[in-house]
């Protein structure tokens, strides 16, 4: 029936064939001149535009699969990033404690209140000293009685055993500088002993250093896992498009043309994962913050977790896009050569 | 257009695909390559498409030595060639239009130019009204014509076809051959690998006969 409705293909095209061959002339002319820069630029931009749109369309076709791939990547990204943010918060907290690191100068028992005040004035003028406070023998005894609960027993003592103290707050917390300052203060007249307790600061620094290393190791592991995830995802996309790739190669597609949509896909996965990770971190830190504020309030502190700084968030996005791109590149480079037309 | 000079192809497993083959094809010529399975027809096409390289001898296509061509040059060589496969190699998730447009998209032509050329190619194979359909909606013969449209849309200097009528009934096979002849009349060299001797004999074009990788005949079909 169709045969009666339409003439044979060869019959239908015969009149065309009888015409001169303008296309052949055109082809010859085009080959001789070669494409100009504008044409090449347009071709390049058009290829990128269509690759990007094609990648978006393919991701959109499988929204659930794409979302879960992004989610897995987001978890891999947000774990080290979240730990790193927590550590920097702890460092911030530690920093405020460090600023409170003080040198206690115990004065000789024969030093009078006048001596103590004079010493405080002298110390306050020294370089490296932010603050100096004199606690007289009487004040020290009063505080000790109140804080120790040994008020009655202390009252029985024949004389006040506590020395006057000058509490020095250093301008900066640097262990060698602090030690030098302590030695210098210890040599001042009327000073019996100078005590600097940095053990807890050192412990905290050691814990933070350990934390940093842990985060670094975790980052390396999770970035490797992320590259594997993206690589495997892209490999599956390549497998699904094997025939298409072979055909593209046979009709003159270059490796970069074949590679391009997969690289966009990797970058888009990275972008999605970065956005998700940023959201997860912002939400997670906000959620933790209520508990942290409550806890720090119990210690008389107004400490609160800082959220995800914009710069860190943007770095996270950029890093995620880059990782997606690199993962895709590795996968495509590995599998493209296997996809020679058959 | 094509020059084979003592071209041989040996595979690592010892199989010899072609034995020192020598022949020439002029620009605009219509040529059949025939022979039984394993005669070397596909090897010959694969060499012309630079999917494989000759083990020895010299193979020139439009002045380019395919034995020496770099991997980076291969895509640009293939842009001068149109290929039609027995199994069509169509992309079933793209419309007929987008299948045919593929070589032009690779060339980076503008949308308007792509549309113009695709329409022209589909008209040439009498499929203008099927542009928005998917290959799965078409008959085998129509799918083959889509494959031909894709092979000619970028106006190649050479059209290669590997058993293009292998899956078609005789009436459709004759129609497809008619399309190839029309394309050839426009100046494109056409080289068809086929073992359909009856069909070849009716067309009276030059025919190379291969047997176990050797050229055993070179003359007009049907003589």
């Amino acid at each position: 029936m169709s045969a009666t409705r339409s003439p044979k293909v060869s019959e239908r095209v015969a009149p065309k064939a009888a015409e001169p061959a303008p296309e052949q002339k055109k082809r010859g002319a085009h080959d001789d001149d070669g494409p100009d820069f504008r044409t090449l630029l347009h071709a390049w931009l058009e290829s990128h535009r269509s690759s990007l749109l094609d990648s978006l369309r393919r991701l959109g076709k499988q929204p659930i699969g794409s979302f879960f791939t992004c989610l897995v990547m987001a978890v891999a990204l947000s774990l080290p990033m979240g730990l790193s943010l927590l550590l920097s918060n702890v460092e911030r907290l530690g920093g405020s404690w460090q600023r409170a690191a003080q040198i206690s100068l115990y004065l000789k028992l024969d030093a009078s209140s006048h001596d103590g005040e004079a010493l405080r004035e002298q110390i306050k003028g020294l370089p490296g000293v932010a603050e100096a406070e004199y606690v007289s023998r009487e004040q020290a005894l009063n505080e000790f009685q109140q804080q120790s609960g040994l008020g009655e027993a202390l009252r029985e003592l024949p004389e006040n055993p506590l020395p006057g103290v000058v509490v020095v707050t250093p301008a900066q917390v640097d262990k060698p500088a602090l030690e030098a300052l302590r030695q210098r203060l210890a040599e001042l007249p009327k000073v019996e002993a100078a005590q600097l307790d940095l053990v807890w600061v050192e412990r905290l620094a050691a814990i933070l250093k350990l934390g940093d290393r842990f985060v670094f190791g975790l980052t390396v592991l999770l970035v490797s896992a992320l590259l594997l995830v993206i690589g495997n995802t892209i490999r599956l996309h390549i497998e699904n498009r094997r025939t298409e790739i072979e055909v593209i190669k046979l009709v003159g597609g270059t490796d970069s043309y074949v590679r391009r949509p997969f690289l966009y896909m990797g970058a888009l996965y990275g972008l999605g994962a970065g956005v998700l990770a940023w959201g997860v971190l912002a939400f997670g830190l906000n959620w933790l913050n209520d508990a942290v504020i409550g806890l720090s309030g119990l210690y008389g502190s107004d400490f609160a977790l800082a959220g995800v700084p914009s710069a860190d968030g943007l770095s996270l996005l950029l890093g995620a896009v880059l990782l997606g791109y690199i993962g895709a590149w590795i996968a495509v480079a590995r599998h493209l050569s296997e996809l020679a037309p058959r | 257009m094509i020059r084979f000079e003592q071209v041989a192809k040996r595979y690592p497993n010892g199989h010899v695909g072609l034995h020192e083959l020598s022949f020439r094809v002029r620009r605009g010529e219509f040529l059949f390559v025939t022979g039984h399975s394993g005669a070397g027809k596909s090897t010959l096409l694969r060499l012309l498409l630079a999917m494989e390289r000759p083990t020895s001898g010299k193979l020139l296509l439009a002045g380019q030595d395919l034995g020496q061509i770099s991997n980076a040059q291969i895509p640009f060589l293939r842009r001068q060639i149109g290929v039609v496969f027995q199994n069509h190699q169509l992309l079933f998730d793209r419309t007929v239009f987008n299948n045919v447009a593929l070589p032009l998209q690779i060339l980076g032509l503008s949308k308007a130019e792509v549309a113009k050329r695709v329409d022209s190619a589909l008209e040439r194979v009498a499929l203008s009204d099927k542009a928005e359909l998917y290959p799965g909606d078409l008959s085998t013969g129509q799918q083959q014509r889509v494959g031909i449209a894709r092979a000619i849309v970028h106006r190649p200097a050479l059209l290669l076809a590997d058993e293009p009528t292998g899956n078609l009934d005789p009436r459709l096979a004759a129609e497809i051959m008619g399309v190839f002849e029309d394309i050839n009349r426009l100046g494109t060299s056409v080289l068809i690998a086929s073992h359909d001797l009856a069909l070849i004999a009716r067309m009276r074009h030059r025919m190379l006969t291969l047997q176990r990788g050797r050229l055993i005949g070179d003359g007009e079909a049907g003589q």
Side-chain angles (χ1 to χ4, degrees):
Chain A
M1 199 172 163
S2 61
T4 55
R5 216 169 35 204
S6 57
K8 283 184 177 179
V9 176
S10 53
E11 287 166 5
R12 276 191 285 182
V13 293
K16 276 187 172 301
E19 291 169 9
E23 291 178 353
Q24 290 300 309
K25 284 177 192 165
K26 267 189 203 170
R27 185 179 64 216
H30 183 75
D31 289 348
D32 291 344
D33 298 343
D36 59 13
F37 175 74
R38 202 174 158 179
T39 309
L40 288 172
L41 180 67
H42 176 268
W44 185 78
L45 290 174
E46 178 58 29
S47 167
H48 276 274
R49 191 192 68 86
S50 62
S51 292
L52 176 61
L53 290 179
D54 181 62
S55 302
L56 276 169
R57 188 176 54 82
R58 285 177 191 276
L59 291 179
K61 260 187 175 177
Q62 300 171 315
I64 296 175
S66 304
F67 174 76
F68 277 106
T69 303
C70 287
L71 192 62
V72 169
M73 290 172 68
V75 170
L77 282 169
S78 54
L79 272 176
M81 185 73 181
L83 275 174
S84 174
L85 284 171
L86 280 177
L87 277 180
S88 48
N89 274 291
V90 172
E91 275 181 71
R92 195 163 55 84
L93 180 65
S96 66
W97 289 344
Q98 281 185 352
R99 277 189 292 280
Q102 291 166 329
I103 300 171
S104 301
L105 299 180
Y106 298 102
L107 306 185
K108 290 178 176 163
L109 287 175
D110 61 355
S112 65
S113 294
H114 183 264
D115 292 336
E117 285 295 343
L119 192 61
R120 183 186 74 84
E121 283 300 320
Q122 183 190 352
I123 291 170
K124 216 174 167 182
L126 291 175
V129 174
E131 190 68 51
E133 186 190 355
Y134 171 63
V135 181
S136 68
R137 296 182 64 187
E138 292 71 30
Q139 278 177 289
L141 184 64
N142 283 339
E143 283 178 18
F144 189 58
Q145 281 174 335
Q146 285 167 12
Q147 289 174 10
S148 65
L150 301 171
E152 288 305 315
L154 290 170
R155 244 174 245 125
E156 295 301 317
L157 292 172
E159 62 175 312
N160 181 359
L162 299 179
V165 178
V166 177
V167 181
V168 180
T169 305
Q172 56 179 343
V173 181
D174 170 60
K175 199 186 169 192
L178 279 177
E179 190 50 42
L181 181 64
R182 188 196 69 79
Q183 280 183 11
R184 197 166 155 199
L185 294 173
E187 289 164 6
L188 290 173
K190 300 288 180 185
V191 174
E192 181 69 41
Q195 187 179 314
L196 169 65
D197 187 5
L198 274 183
V199 174
W200 65 270
V201 175
E202 287 172 342
R203 282 179 187 158
L204 181 66
I207 290 168
L208 289 175
K209 194 174 175 185
L210 181 69
D212 276 341
R213 290 207 173 180
F214 177 72
V215 168
F216 178 76
L218 192 69
T219 305
V220 170
L221 272 178
L222 289 175
V223 162
S224 310
L226 195 143
L227 287 176
L228 284 175
V229 168
I230 190 75
N232 199 43
T233 306
I234 296 297
R235 186 184 63 79
L236 290 175
H237 280 287
I238 292 172
E239 279 301 319
N240 287 338
R241 296 171 70 179
R242 179 180 274 272
T243 309
E244 183 184 341
I245 292 170
E246 288 174 2
V247 171
I248 287 173
K249 283 189 163 189
L250 272 177
V251 298
T254 56
D255 280 354
S256 60
Y257 183 88
V258 174
R259 195 185 297 128
R260 199 165 293 143
F262 297 108
L263 297 183
Y264 271 114
M265 199 168 270
L268 286 171
Y269 272 126
L271 182 66
V275 170
L276 273 176
W278 194 343
V280 165
L281 285 174
F283 174 80
L285 286 175
N286 190 47
W287 178 68
L288 267 181
N289 213 10
D290 287 341
V292 170
I293 289 170
L295 182 67
S296 61
L298 293 176
Y299 285 94
S301 165
D302 59 354
F303 176 78
L305 291 175
V308 185
S310 300
D312 285 1
L314 289 173
S315 303
L316 177 70
L317 273 186
L318 193 68
V321 170
L322 202 64
L323 281 172
Y325 184 87
I326 292 169
W329 183 282
I330 293 170
V332 178
R334 218 179 133 209
H335 298 288
L336 200 60
S337 57
E338 297 166 12
L339 292 177
R342 286 174 294 190
Chain B
M1 181 77 200
I2 302 172
R3 209 162 86 197
F4 275 68
E5 289 179 6
Q6 302 287 309
V7 173
K9 177 64 189 175
R10 291 178 200 87
Y11 292 95
N13 63 4
H15 172 70
V16 180
L18 291 177
H19 285 276
E20 281 143 18
L21 210 62
S22 295
F23 67 89
R24 289 183 183 208
V25 179
R26 293 187 313 277
R27 193 173 288 274
E29 197 171 359
F30 195 115
L31 177 80
F32 284 107
V33 178
T34 189
H36 296 293
S37 276
K41 304 188 295 288
S42 296
T43 305
L44 190 146
L45 293 185
R46 292 173 69 82
L47 288 174
L48 284 170
L49 280 167
M51 292 160 76
E52 290 176 5
R53 291 180 189 255
T55 316
S56 62
K58 199 166 193 176
L59 169 52
L60 297 173
L61 173 60
Q64 275 186 294
D65 187 343
L66 300 194
Q68 304 295 323
I69 193 170
S70 70
N71 286 339
Q73 285 176 299
I74 289 174
F76 301 97
L77 170 90
R78 288 178 182 161
R79 289 177 192 184
Q80 302 171 46
I81 304 172
V83 202
V84 180
F85 305 92
Q86 182 178 2
N87 60 0
H88 324 313
Q89 292 272 51
L90 298 179
L91 305 175
F92 281 73
D93 61 342
R94 296 189 186 200
T95 60
V96 166
F97 182 95
N98 284 324
N99 266 279
V100 177
L102 186 62
L104 304 178
Q105 287 164 348
I106 288 170
L107 291 173
L109 299 188
S110 68
K111 276 186 176 177
E113 184 65 18
V114 169
K116 200 174 92 183
R117 290 205 198 180
V118 171
D119 288 345
S120 166
L122 285 175
E123 199 183 332
R124 194 158 287 158
V125 295
L127 283 178
S128 293
D129 55 336
K130 311 286 185 200
E132 295 311 314
L133 296 182
Y134 285 84
D137 302 329
L138 305 179
S139 67
T140 312
Q142 287 171 329
Q143 287 179 6
Q144 189 59 295
R145 277 147 58 190
V146 175
I148 295 170
R150 187 182 63 193
I152 60 169
V153 73
H154 57 301
R155 301 164 185 168
L158 172 67
L159 182 64
L160 301 177
D162 190 8
E163 302 286 0
T165 57
N167 294 328
L168 306 179
D169 63 46
R171 186 184 61 82
L172 273 176
E175 280 194 19
I176 295 295
M177 285 300 173
V179 175
F180 284 129
E181 286 192 313
D182 295 336
I183 293 159
N184 175 243
R185 277 186 213 115
L186 292 171
T188 301
S189 308
V190 178
L191 192 156
I192 300 174
S194 172
H195 62 262
D196 189 345
L197 287 173
L199 184 69
I200 294 170
R202 282 202 297 274
M203 297 190 64
R204 299 202 165 271
H205 289 292
R206 184 180 167 199
M207 179 176 78
L208 299 180
T209 308
L210 297 178
Q211 191 178 61
R212 290 179 189 164
R214 292 179 204 279
L215 185 62
I216 59 162
D218 183 355
E220 190 180 311
Q223 281 189 335

